[in-house]
Amino acid sequence: MLFLSSLIVSVAAFLGIDYAYSKVVLGSAVSGGPHGFCFSRDSVRAFAFRPNCSCIRPWLGSSYEFDTNSLGFRDERVREVPLKSSRPRILVLGDSMPEGMTSWKQSVIGRIAAKFPQYEFLNGSVEGYSPSNYLNTARMLFQDGIDFDEAIVFIDLSDAQDEAAFFHDADSSGAVGTASQKVAKSSWYSNTRLWINNNLLLTNDVFQFFEKVLVRLGWYHLDLGHGGNEFDLERSAWTYRKVSDTAPYETGYAPLGLEGGIAKEKAKMDTLWRELQQRNIPISVVVYPWPAQVAHDTVDSRQVQIWREWCQGKCKRFVDLFPAFFAIKDQCPHFQPGCWYLNDFLFGDTHYNAAGDAVVAGVISQTLEQTSAMKHESLLQTPVTKHGGSDSPKGDTIVAQHVSAGKAAN
């Protein structure tokens, strides 16, 4: 009884000290709230970054410096983007992965831009975007007279759900509206775990120690209160299991359903490709896995199949990052089958860490070395009858087969 009483008093004292310590640490943190100071409403894209903005962007208990240029695109620093550039200019379209949930130098696009100073990169990626807004972002540049020479689109696994359940066309212009509600999976454990994460930093470290051990041993269940198991979220699970076509966002794919969301993705990408083709601008597509795919799917995922087929006759490059991350998984020892997640992903998240970003940047750098970006001549400046419709950009399919090549390119 004396031992039990001492244990209870000790635990209570530890939790009390942890709570007070955590309040001091979290209270002194400088951030722009859950989405940073630089987010703003946008009449066409629903939300976007404010132009020429600097802030501290928070992400999962960490933070980093964040800057946007005059277009409202993430950049290395605040700067004015001219209408034209003497260098080949590459527009990057995507959501949070190519936006980069880390410092610019550590991010995928920051790494690639540093390796290829002969190119100028415009990173139009924004957390939460999908093909509807990839199209709207490119159209914004067309309307403003911003010239670019190639578009690289990072198609995310969550894009299917975003098109099915989150974004809807507000009018015939292509402007989008968003779902009126967000329903996340929760349980008593996930709610408790999130509270610990937000209020007890030392206790959270203890939990994470044991969680990391379990994941390393191949226990693919990790619920930190962010909407479910990071290895089996509804937003990415559609490639290897059935998801709900009737449940609302984020628990399902209503109102369009999964197949409706995929069809809408393709339709928006078709429109983007046609509008780029009219200007003689080639398009490239990048696909990449979430932890769920590496844990439960195959290297030839349905995501890969869909966009590899879509790219035939359209894409300058099709970059498949699934082989690189499956190869990393295969390198894990038998007694540590989950080491790939700890090595290449932010713990408790679906995003890559610095090592994972380096793999992505290395593979994409390899494709840029094999097939260079070139200055283009717009077809809109010459009579359509002279060129007709035969100038469709075509190119080789690039598949990342070896992790070593990606890492070496970093």
Side-chain angles (χ1 to χ4, degrees), residues 29-33 35-38 54-58 62-66:
V30 178
S31 76
H35 292 104
F37 291 118
C38 289
S54 294
C55 69
I56 302 298
R57 180 95 152 89
S62 184
S63 60
Y64 50 90
E65 294 182 359
F66 185 92

Side-chain angles (χ1 to χ4, degrees), residues 237-282:
W238 62 269
T239 65
Y240 58 87
R241 68 167 173 84
K242 184 175 178 56
V243 292
S244 173
D245 286 337
T246 57
Y249 178 82
E250 284 182 321
T251 55
Y253 288 67
L256 297 186
L258 171 61
E259 298 306 322
I262 293 173
K264 188 179 167 193
E265 278 188 280
K266 292 180 179 179
K268 295 290 184 176
M269 286 292 290
D270 284 343
T271 302
L272 174 60
W273 168 69
R274 285 193 298 268
E275 295 189 10
L276 289 169
Q277 188 185 38
Q278 291 171 0
R279 295 164 173 83
N280 198 27
I281 300 173

Side-chain angles (χ1 to χ4, degrees), residues 127-281:
E127 176 195 353
Y129 275 11
S130 62
S132 287
N133 275 338
Y134 306 159
L135 172 60
N136 284 331
T137 300
R139 282 177 167 174
M140 179 188 76
L141 299 190
F142 297 153
Q143 293 168 3
D144 291 345
I146 304 294
D147 188 48
F148 59 95
D149 303 287
E150 182 176 333
I152 300 179
V153 184
F154 287 71
I155 300 289
D156 196 78
L157 284 146
S158 63
D159 288 351
Q161 187 185 50
D162 287 339
E163 293 297 344
F166 185 67
F167 288 118
H168 61 268
D169 290 341
D171 53 47
S172 59
S173 71
V176 299
T178 59
S180 58
Q181 62 175 347
K182 173 182 176 180
V183 180
K185 279 188 173 182
S186 64
S187 64
W188 69 268
Y189 178 82
S190 61
N191 292 334
T192 302
R193 187 66 186 84
L194 182 62
W195 189 88
I196 291 173
N197 183 74
N198 293 336
N199 296 277
L200 300 173
L201 297 180
L202 300 178
T203 304
N204 185 63
D205 288 342
V206 174
F207 268 80
Q208 282 200 2
F209 172 81
F210 290 104
E211 288 165 342
K212 288 179 179 179
V213 170
L214 291 173
V215 170
R216 187 178 294 276
L217 295 174
W219 176 254
Y220 295 134
H221 188 91
L222 183 60
D223 187 349
L224 303 186
H226 300 145
N229 176 14
E230 298 294 333
F231 292 99
D232 194 35
L233 296 171
E234 299 301 315
R235 287 174 66 68
S236 62
W238 62 269
T239 65
Y240 58 87
R241 68 167 173 84
K242 184 175 178 56
V243 292
S244 173
D245 286 337
T246 57
Y249 178 82
E250 284 182 321
T251 55
Y253 288 67
L256 297 186
L258 171 61
E259 298 306 322
I262 293 173
K264 188 179 167 193
E265 278 188 280
K266 292 180 179 179
K268 295 290 184 176
M269 286 292 290
D270 284 343
T271 302
L272 174 60
W273 168 69
R274 285 193 298 268
E275 295 189 10
L276 289 169
Q277 188 185 38
Q278 291 171 0
R279 295 164 173 83
N280 198 27
I281 300 173

Side-chain angles (χ1 to χ4, degrees), residues 75-88:
D75 211 325
E76 183 176 15
R77 64 188 186 280
V78 174
R79 69 181 179 98
E80 186 70 24
V81 177
L83 295 180
K84 296 183 181 294
S85 174
S86 59
R87 298 176 289 169

Side-chain angles (χ1 to χ4, degrees), residues 289-292 294 325 339-356:
W290 282 26
V294 183
F325 286 96
C339 78
W340 56 269
Y341 179 75
L342 301 179
N343 291 342
D344 290 289
F345 288 84
L346 294 172
F347 188 76
D349 194 12
T350 60
H351 293 91
Y352 302 119
N353 60 17

